[in-house]
Amino acid sequence: MSVENWLTEFRSQGYRLTDARRAVVETVAKSPRALTPAEIHDLAKEQYPKLGLVTVYRTLEKLEELNLVQRVHQEQGCNAYLAHAEGHQHLLICQKCKKAVYFDGDDLNASFAKVGEKHGFIVQEHWLQLFGICEECRENE
Amino acid sequence: MSVENWLTEFRSQGYRLTDARRAVVETVAKSPRALTPAEIHDLAKEQYPKLGLVTVYRTLEKLEELNLVQRVHQEQGCNAYLAHAEGHQHLLICQKCKKAVYFDGDDLNASFAKVGEKHGFIVQEHWLQLFGICEECRENE
DNA sequence: TCTATAATTGAAAATGATTTTCAAATACTC
DNA sequence: GAGTATTTGAAAATCATTTTCAATTATAGA
Ligand SMILES: [Mn+2]
Ligand SMILES: [Mn+2]
Ligand SMILES: [Zn+2]
Ligand SMILES: [Zn+2]
């Protein structure tokens, strides 16, 4: 989903379009990796220097509510945000450059249900993330 | 691993055995679900009323270092602690009573590697949690 | 058992991330 | 363009976690 779509989505929910929001949205939408609120603030200020950190938090809250971003959990912290993929997807994250790639793991659902069954559970959701090293990072030795 | 083993492990690392630590360790070891530091504090105080919250944090830090507990990440928060399983295991968590059960997902590793390959990644770690409703909770209507 | 000592404790203060408050600025409707 | 409700950033408040510190305690050794 493009930046323009995000902003349109914003408008159609009755939210106003401001320079501050534009800067936050564009920063998150363009980033190949999950960013913390503080990182978003730093980056987005290059585009809109007046931007306050509070507005970053407030905008992320709305983006999350509209399902345009998702929070990414990692060993180093659980408060980084990434553009959301369409539908149900999972993340593959490079441990070196932090780049995040989505994949669908639909073929795993049967296995998950079976694991649950074995323990008397009916599985309703799952949470899966893979970590590794991307091609680019392997090449740059 | 039993409570006594945990305490022995503690001692063998040169740490002293105190009533405060005993209370924290027993609380976490006995719990069927992941607990936050504040919850541990509340529960362990029944056994050792003088217990300070600081000591809960400090004891958890050591338990984590000794690999006796692990931090559990959930939608509601990422700071709950659970007795660790032996070796590499994954969690199946009841959405109603929060009970946590470990399972090994070794048969999934090949699938994970394949997903990575498709995107140029060499997968080195993964993070998997299943959520559902346990048998007991389904029975109690 | 008693003593010496280093580890551990809890209270209080400090920190750091996030949230709330509020008056000024602004985006959008008419 | 004017009127109004929304949004803003600064500052204050909050909340979880960490640090500081003087008092307490566990343990090794006499
Ligand atoms: Mn899936
Ligand atoms: Mn596994
Ligand atoms: Zn990489
Ligand atoms: Zn249950």
Side-chain angles (χ1 to χ4, degrees), chain B residues 11 16-18 37 50 53-54 57-58 79:
Chain B
R11 287 268 23 237
R16 293 180 177 181
L17 237 52
T18 66
K50 278 202 307 175
L53 180 55
V54 209
Y57 278 100
R58 287 191 280 224
N79 53 329

